[in-house]
Amino acid sequence: MTGYNFEETENQKMIKEMIRDFAQKHILPDMMVWDENQTFPMDVFKKLGELGLMGVLVPQEYGGTGFGYFEYVTTIVEISKVCGSIGLSVAAHNSLCTGHIMQFGSEAQKQKWLPKLATAEWIGAWGLTEPVTGSDAGGMMTTAVREGDHWVLNGSKNFITHAISGDVAVVIARTGEKGDSKGMTAFVVEKGTQGFSSGKKENKLGMRASETACLFFDNCKVPHANMLGMEGQGFIQAMKVLDGGRISIAALALGIAKGAYKAALKYSKEREQFGKPISFFQGISFKLADMALKISGSEAIINYACWLKNNNMKCTKEAAMAKYYASEASVVIANEAVQVFGGYGYTKDFPVEKFYRDAKLCTIGEGTTEIQKLVIARNILEA
């Protein structure tokens, strides 16, 4: 693979050490309480902002860290090895809301919003999915109608990360005909805007400390100055944003998989049956071997997608492949980790049941596995 260099950088090593220390102090002690109560720990994200991890990809002139995708993936993986919920929220904030403004905002818009987002002074949300249009984003019902120097938004978005606690949201609304890929436009909507509200928190299987709810728009007036890019380019922008977002979900899945594997490996060496550690038995050791293989495969394709992204090369197919493979692998690995723990794996006294619950979201969020297959198929058939 001439030209590729996936050797861990000093920045990645620094991030790993920083997150390990941070997690021990600020995540591990309370994460199961947050999970049980569906608490969104705002103070944790403020602290992560102070460390520069809520603006990993944002250039330094806008208050960010200015790192590339390898450092970003390292951030998500290391956090998610401890808690998928925190990893998911960091990913959604960085890749979607902040990433959309960074990629398509004007200089004035970047100056206005990126410094607040990069430091976690503000938490960001991103709205594409609707109650009746998930994968079929082109059929969205939320509309935006121009009235002078404002746009009036009406409709709703659902399954939105940080819908309640977010200070600002990037929202894609229909400004043309339904089904027209050039009939949608992106807008930045700030909390407190009249006609803009959120719904109740969703009661979820996993990722319970990452807030999910609906956004509502009732004659919501948004200044024309808040439109991102050109009118009619919202859907096209969203698809490009999702390339990076899918890499981040792949990283989220990889982190969960690594956390589950590490716990299972450690337990298999400590738990004895028939006079020896259970890791000595082929039934367990083969599970561990398969888990390690899937983790290595996930790392390889994620690294390649990161390399393409860092070099400003098209990565739609590779991002979809990374998301597809890593998320499905994470579900298998978390499932096998529970099996290694046996009955203890089914209790909340051990970590693998949470990895098991959290992993499934990775196969659904930011495009289901089935949509990733569709994206991959289209790209290889068009080649």
mmCIF file with all atom_site columns, all heavy atoms in Angstrom, residues 7 36 38 51 76 112 122 197 213 228 247 309 328 358:
data_model
loop_
_atom_site.group_PDB
_atom_site.id
_atom_site.type_symbol
_atom_site.label_atom_id
_atom_site.label_alt_id
_atom_site.label_comp_id
_atom_site.label_asym_id
_atom_site.label_entity_id
_atom_site.label_seq_id
_atom_site.pdbx_PDB_ins_code
_atom_site.Cartn_x
_atom_site.Cartn_y
_atom_site.Cartn_z
_atom_site.occupancy
_atom_site.B_iso_or_equiv
_atom_site.pdbx_formal_charge
_atom_site.auth_seq_id
_atom_site.auth_comp_id
_atom_site.auth_asym_id
_atom_site.auth_atom_id
_atom_site.pdbx_PDB_model_num
ATOM 1   N N   . GLU A 1 7   ? 0.677   4.655  10.601 1.00 0.00 ? 7   GLU A N   1
ATOM 2   C CA  . GLU A 1 7   ? 1.378   4.575  11.868 1.00 0.00 ? 7   GLU A CA  1
ATOM 3   C C   . GLU A 1 7   ? 0.836   5.629  12.825 1.00 0.00 ? 7   GLU A C   1
ATOM 4   O O   . GLU A 1 7   ? 0.588   6.769  12.447 1.00 0.00 ? 7   GLU A O   1
ATOM 5   C CB  . GLU A 1 7   ? 2.877   4.793  11.654 1.00 0.00 ? 7   GLU A CB  1
ATOM 6   C CG  . GLU A 1 7   ? 3.716   4.588  12.903 1.00 0.00 ? 7   GLU A CG  1
ATOM 7   C CD  . GLU A 1 7   ? 5.206   4.730  12.636 1.00 0.00 ? 7   GLU A CD  1
ATOM 8   O OE1 . GLU A 1 7   ? 5.591   4.797  11.449 1.00 0.00 ? 7   GLU A OE1 1
ATOM 9   O OE2 . GLU A 1 7   ? 5.964   4.785  13.619 1.00 0.00 ? 7   GLU A OE2 1
ATOM 10  N N   . GLU A 1 36  ? -28.830 4.585  33.420 1.00 0.00 ? 36  GLU A N   1
ATOM 11  C CA  . GLU A 1 36  ? -30.091 4.198  34.064 1.00 0.00 ? 36  GLU A CA  1
ATOM 12  C C   . GLU A 1 36  ? -31.116 5.330  34.001 1.00 0.00 ? 36  GLU A C   1
ATOM 13  O O   . GLU A 1 36  ? -32.299 5.104  33.733 1.00 0.00 ? 36  GLU A O   1
ATOM 14  C CB  . GLU A 1 36  ? -29.838 3.810  35.524 1.00 0.00 ? 36  GLU A CB  1
ATOM 15  C CG  . GLU A 1 36  ? -29.125 2.488  35.710 1.00 0.00 ? 36  GLU A CG  1
ATOM 16  C CD  . GLU A 1 36  ? -30.004 1.303  35.357 1.00 0.00 ? 36  GLU A CD  1
ATOM 17  O OE1 . GLU A 1 36  ? -31.220 1.358  35.598 1.00 0.00 ? 36  GLU A OE1 1
ATOM 18  O OE2 . GLU A 1 36  ? -29.457 0.310  34.832 1.00 0.00 ? 36  GLU A OE2 1
ATOM 19  N N   . GLN A 1 38  ? -31.011 8.073  32.005 1.00 0.00 ? 38  GLN A N   1
ATOM 20  C CA  . GLN A 1 38  ? -30.980 8.793  30.727 1.00 0.00 ? 38  GLN A CA  1
ATOM 21  C C   . GLN A 1 38  ? -30.560 10.255 30.920 1.00 0.00 ? 38  GLN A C   1
ATOM 22  O O   . GLN A 1 38  ? -31.152 11.181 30.372 1.00 0.00 ? 38  GLN A O   1
ATOM 23  C CB  . GLN A 1 38  ? -32.329 8.723  30.006 1.00 0.00 ? 38  GLN A CB  1
ATOM 24  C CG  . GLN A 1 38  ? -32.702 7.328  29.548 1.00 0.00 ? 38  GLN A CG  1
ATOM 25  C CD  . GLN A 1 38  ? -33.585 7.327  28.316 1.00 0.00 ? 38  GLN A CD  1
ATOM 26  O OE1 . GLN A 1 38  ? -33.147 6.994  27.218 1.00 0.00 ? 38  GLN A OE1 1
ATOM 27  N NE2 . GLN A 1 38  ? -34.830 7.717  28.493 1.00 0.00 ? 38  GLN A NE2 1
ATOM 28  N N   . LEU A 1 51  ? -10.700 20.608 26.594 1.00 0.00 ? 51  LEU A N   1
ATOM 29  C CA  . LEU A 1 51  ? -9.565  19.816 26.110 1.00 0.00 ? 51  LEU A CA  1
ATOM 30  C C   . LEU A 1 51  ? -9.408  19.891 24.592 1.00 0.00 ? 51  LEU A C   1
ATOM 31  O O   . LEU A 1 51  ? -8.472  19.317 24.041 1.00 0.00 ? 51  LEU A O   1
ATOM 32  C CB  . LEU A 1 51  ? -9.737  18.353 26.529 1.00 0.00 ? 51  LEU A CB  1
ATOM 33  C CG  . LEU A 1 51  ? -9.708  18.052 28.033 1.00 0.00 ? 51  LEU A CG  1
ATOM 34  C CD1 . LEU A 1 51  ? -9.982  16.580 28.289 1.00 0.00 ? 51  LEU A CD1 1
ATOM 35  C CD2 . LEU A 1 51  ? -8.360  18.450 28.631 1.00 0.00 ? 51  LEU A CD2 1
ATOM 36  N N   . ILE A 1 76  ? -12.868 9.453  19.098 1.00 0.00 ? 76  ILE A N   1
ATOM 37  C CA  . ILE A 1 76  ? -14.134 8.729  19.214 1.00 0.00 ? 76  ILE A CA  1
ATOM 38  C C   . ILE A 1 76  ? -13.919 7.307  19.720 1.00 0.00 ? 76  ILE A C   1
ATOM 39  O O   . ILE A 1 76  ? -14.652 6.820  20.593 1.00 0.00 ? 76  ILE A O   1
ATOM 40  C CB  . ILE A 1 76  ? -14.880 8.703  17.853 1.00 0.00 ? 76  ILE A CB  1
ATOM 41  C CG1 . ILE A 1 76  ? -15.134 10.124 17.341 1.00 0.00 ? 76  ILE A CG1 1
ATOM 42  C CG2 . ILE A 1 76  ? -16.200 7.943  17.991 1.00 0.00 ? 76  ILE A CG2 1
ATOM 43  C CD1 . ILE A 1 76  ? -15.918 11.000 18.266 1.00 0.00 ? 76  ILE A CD1 1
ATOM 44  N N   . LYS A 1 112 ? -19.096 33.222 13.367 1.00 0.00 ? 112 LYS A N   1
ATOM 45  C CA  . LYS A 1 112 ? -20.193 33.375 14.318 1.00 0.00 ? 112 LYS A CA  1
ATOM 46  C C   . LYS A 1 112 ? -20.413 32.132 15.176 1.00 0.00 ? 112 LYS A C   1
ATOM 47  O O   . LYS A 1 112 ? -20.623 32.243 16.398 1.00 0.00 ? 112 LYS A O   1
ATOM 48  C CB  . LYS A 1 112 ? -21.486 33.719 13.560 1.00 0.00 ? 112 LYS A CB  1
ATOM 49  C CG  . LYS A 1 112 ? -22.685 33.945 14.467 1.00 0.00 ? 112 LYS A CG  1
ATOM 50  C CD  . LYS A 1 112 ? -23.912 34.358 13.662 1.00 0.00 ? 112 LYS A CD  1
ATOM 51  C CE  . LYS A 1 112 ? -25.113 34.626 14.562 1.00 0.00 ? 112 LYS A CE  1
ATOM 52  N NZ  . LYS A 1 112 ? -26.314 35.043 13.795 1.00 0.00 ? 112 LYS A NZ  1
ATOM 53  N N   . TRP A 1 122 ? -21.361 26.105 23.133 1.00 0.00 ? 122 TRP A N   1
ATOM 54  C CA  . TRP A 1 122 ? -22.643 25.680 22.585 1.00 0.00 ? 122 TRP A CA  1
ATOM 55  C C   . TRP A 1 122 ? -22.536 24.212 22.162 1.00 0.00 ? 122 TRP A C   1
ATOM 56  O O   . TRP A 1 122 ? -21.487 23.778 21.667 1.00 0.00 ? 122 TRP A O   1
ATOM 57  C CB  . TRP A 1 122 ? -23.019 26.528 21.365 1.00 0.00 ? 122 TRP A CB  1
ATOM 58  C CG  . TRP A 1 122 ? -23.602 27.871 21.709 1.00 0.00 ? 122 TRP A CG  1
ATOM 59  C CD1 . TRP A 1 122 ? -23.574 28.495 22.920 1.00 0.00 ? 122 TRP A CD1 1
ATOM 60  C CD2 . TRP A 1 122 ? -24.287 28.747 20.819 1.00 0.00 ? 122 TRP A CD2 1
ATOM 61  N NE1 . TRP A 1 122 ? -24.205 29.717 22.845 1.00 0.00 ? 122 TRP A NE1 1
ATOM 62  C CE2 . TRP A 1 122 ? -24.655 29.896 21.562 1.00 0.00 ? 122 TRP A CE2 1
ATOM 63  C CE3 . TRP A 1 122 ? -24.620 28.697 19.473 1.00 0.00 ? 122 TRP A CE3 1
ATOM 64  C CZ2 . TRP A 1 122 ? -25.355 30.978 21.008 1.00 0.00 ? 122 TRP A CZ2 1
ATOM 65  C CZ3 . TRP A 1 122 ? -25.310 29.760 18.908 1.00 0.00 ? 122 TRP A CZ3 1
ATOM 66  C CH2 . TRP A 1 122 ? -25.677 30.882 19.665 1.00 0.00 ? 122 TRP A CH2 1
ATOM 67  N N   . SER A 1 197 ? -38.923 24.459 18.852 1.00 0.00 ? 197 SER A N   1
ATOM 68  C CA  . SER A 1 197 ? -39.022 23.769 20.136 1.00 0.00 ? 197 SER A CA  1
ATOM 69  C C   . SER A 1 197 ? -38.610 22.308 19.987 1.00 0.00 ? 197 SER A C   1
ATOM 70  O O   . SER A 1 197 ? -38.387 21.821 18.872 1.00 0.00 ? 197 SER A O   1
ATOM 71  C CB  . SER A 1 197 ? -40.456 23.855 20.685 1.00 0.00 ? 197 SER A CB  1
ATOM 72  O OG  . SER A 1 197 ? -41.360 23.209 19.794 1.00 0.00 ? 197 SER A OG  1
ATOM 73  N N   . ALA A 1 213 ? -34.282 13.339 20.747 1.00 0.00 ? 213 ALA A N   1
ATOM 74  C CA  . ALA A 1 213 ? -35.652 13.845 20.814 1.00 0.00 ? 213 ALA A CA  1
ATOM 75  C C   . ALA A 1 213 ? -36.049 14.433 19.461 1.00 0.00 ? 213 ALA A C   1
ATOM 76  O O   . ALA A 1 213 ? -35.255 14.439 18.518 1.00 0.00 ? 213 ALA A O   1
ATOM 77  C CB  . ALA A 1 213 ? -35.795 14.895 21.919 1.00 0.00 ? 213 ALA A CB  1
ATOM 78  N N   . LEU A 1 228 ? -27.195 28.057 4.841  1.00 0.00 ? 228 LEU A N   1
ATOM 79  C CA  . LEU A 1 228 ? -25.848 27.558 4.583  1.00 0.00 ? 228 LEU A CA  1
ATOM 80  C C   . LEU A 1 228 ? -25.670 27.260 3.099  1.00 0.00 ? 228 LEU A C   1
ATOM 81  O O   . LEU A 1 228 ? -26.397 26.425 2.543  1.00 0.00 ? 228 LEU A O   1
ATOM 82  C CB  . LEU A 1 228 ? -25.577 26.287 5.398  1.00 0.00 ? 228 LEU A CB  1
ATOM 83  C CG  . LEU A 1 228 ? -25.398 26.465 6.907  1.00 0.00 ? 228 LEU A CG  1
ATOM 84  C CD1 . LEU A 1 228 ? -25.346 25.116 7.598  1.00 0.00 ? 228 LEU A CD1 1
ATOM 85  C CD2 . LEU A 1 228 ? -24.140 27.262 7.215  1.00 0.00 ? 228 LEU A CD2 1
ATOM 86  N N   . ILE A 1 247 ? -17.790 7.768  8.888  1.00 0.00 ? 247 ILE A N   1
ATOM 87  C CA  . ILE A 1 247 ? -16.485 7.390  9.442  1.00 0.00 ? 247 ILE A CA  1
ATOM 88  C C   . ILE A 1 247 ? -16.532 7.488  10.966 1.00 0.00 ? 247 ILE A C   1
ATOM 89  O O   . ILE A 1 247 ? -16.001 6.628  11.677 1.00 0.00 ? 247 ILE A O   1
ATOM 90  C CB  . ILE A 1 247 ? -15.370 8.283  8.864  1.00 0.00 ? 247 ILE A CB  1
ATOM 91  C CG1 . ILE A 1 247 ? -15.206 8.027  7.360  1.00 0.00 ? 247 ILE A CG1 1
ATOM 92  C CG2 . ILE A 1 247 ? -14.048 8.027  9.588  1.00 0.00 ? 247 ILE A CG2 1
ATOM 93  C CD1 . ILE A 1 247 ? -14.246 8.982  6.667  1.00 0.00 ? 247 ILE A CD1 1
ATOM 94  N N   . LYS A 1 309 ? -10.162 10.867 3.276  1.00 0.00 ? 309 LYS A N   1
ATOM 95  C CA  . LYS A 1 309 ? -10.783 12.095 3.763  1.00 0.00 ? 309 LYS A CA  1
ATOM 96  C C   . LYS A 1 309 ? -9.727  13.165 4.033  1.00 0.00 ? 309 LYS A C   1
ATOM 97  O O   . LYS A 1 309 ? -9.902  14.333 3.668  1.00 0.00 ? 309 LYS A O   1
ATOM 98  C CB  . LYS A 1 309 ? -11.584 11.794 5.035  1.00 0.00 ? 309 LYS A CB  1
ATOM 99  C CG  . LYS A 1 309 ? -12.454 12.943 5.529  1.00 0.00 ? 309 LYS A CG  1
ATOM 100 C CD  . LYS A 1 309 ? -13.652 13.160 4.646  1.00 0.00 ? 309 LYS A CD  1
ATOM 101 C CE  . LYS A 1 309 ? -14.572 14.217 5.208  1.00 0.00 ? 309 LYS A CE  1
ATOM 102 N NZ  . LYS A 1 309 ? -15.621 14.611 4.256  1.00 0.00 ? 309 LYS A NZ  1
ATOM 103 N N   . GLU A 1 328 ? -21.548 -3.674 12.116 1.00 0.00 ? 328 GLU A N   1
ATOM 104 C CA  . GLU A 1 328 ? -22.018 -5.059 12.217 1.00 0.00 ? 328 GLU A CA  1
ATOM 105 C C   . GLU A 1 328 ? -21.038 -5.889 13.037 1.00 0.00 ? 328 GLU A C   1
ATOM 106 O O   . GLU A 1 328 ? -21.447 -6.761 13.820 1.00 0.00 ? 328 GLU A O   1
ATOM 107 C CB  . GLU A 1 328 ? -22.196 -5.657 10.824 1.00 0.00 ? 328 GLU A CB  1
ATOM 108 C CG  . GLU A 1 328 ? -23.351 -5.055 10.029 1.00 0.00 ? 328 GLU A CG  1
ATOM 109 C CD  . GLU A 1 328 ? -24.721 -5.378 10.598 1.00 0.00 ? 328 GLU A CD  1
ATOM 110 O OE1 . GLU A 1 328 ? -24.849 -6.352 11.376 1.00 0.00 ? 328 GLU A OE1 1
ATOM 111 O OE2 . GLU A 1 328 ? -25.691 -4.653 10.272 1.00 0.00 ? 328 GLU A OE2 1
ATOM 112 N N   . ASP A 1 358 ? -25.475 -0.727 23.481 1.00 0.00 ? 358 ASP A N   1
ATOM 113 C CA  . ASP A 1 358 ? -25.030 0.455  22.737 1.00 0.00 ? 358 ASP A CA  1
ATOM 114 C C   . ASP A 1 358 ? -24.661 0.131  21.291 1.00 0.00 ? 358 ASP A C   1
ATOM 115 O O   . ASP A 1 358 ? -24.863 0.952  20.391 1.00 0.00 ? 358 ASP A O   1
ATOM 116 C CB  . ASP A 1 358 ? -23.819 1.090  23.430 1.00 0.00 ? 358 ASP A CB  1
ATOM 117 C CG  . ASP A 1 358 ? -24.173 1.804  24.727 1.00 0.00 ? 358 ASP A CG  1
ATOM 118 O OD1 . ASP A 1 358 ? -25.374 2.017  24.981 1.00 0.00 ? 358 ASP A OD1 1
ATOM 119 O OD2 . ASP A 1 358 ? -23.246 2.152  25.489 1.00 0.00 ? 358 ASP A OD2 1
#
